[in-house]
Amino acid sequence: MRNKTECNNCPSAKCFVKQYCSGKWLDEISTGKTQSLYNRKEYIFKEGEPMYGIFFIQTGGVKVISTHLNDRQQVVRLATGGDILGHKALGRDTYYFNAIAMMDTLMCFMESELFRDTCMNNPAFA
């Protein structure tokens, strides 16, 4: 993985963090986040896995899928740069959907505790 992109230098103009957090919190998030590259068709998280935090798409694209009875899959939404993933699982123990990279996708990950602290201190972000 290449060097981690600081939030202030993020190329995604649609990123919630960059748009709605104060400078102090951009620094906090930059320090506390992790960044990972997911290859095409790689799972970012799976339905039923423990929920540890929230994902932000920096570049690339993801399809969010729900598995129904008889293992039929339904695309719930398509997400691209700046979109957030995993937020439907807030307050739960596990992720509610599957998220799969549609192309090589660079993701930022923020643990639940940091995400909650950010929300509490940045009303516009919440």
Side-chain angles (χ1 to χ4, degrees), residues 21-74:
C21 289
S22 66
K24 173 189 177 259
W25 279 93
L26 284 177
D27 294 339
E28 290 281 329
I29 294 165
S30 289
T31 301
K33 75 177 182 182
T34 58
Q35 207 169 27
S36 299
L37 181 63
Y38 292 87
N39 296 316
R40 183 177 183 266
K41 295 188 178 181
E42 186 176 357
Y43 277 85
I44 296 154
F45 56 83
K46 292 181 181 180
E47 193 174 335
E49 285 184 342
M51 195 283 200
Y52 295 114
I54 304 298
F55 293 85
F56 295 87
I57 302 173
Q58 187 173 348
T59 60
V62 174
K63 62 181 170 181
V64 179
I65 297 173
S66 176
T67 305
H68 295 291
L69 295 174
N70 303 326
D71 290 329
R72 290 190 57 207
Q73 292 187 338
Q74 178 180 359

Side-chain angles (χ1 to χ4, degrees), residues 78-94:
L78 301 176
T80 59
D83 288 341
I84 185 172
L85 298 172
H87 58 288
K88 296 275 187 180
L90 285 172
R92 298 175 185 257
D93 294 331
T94 60

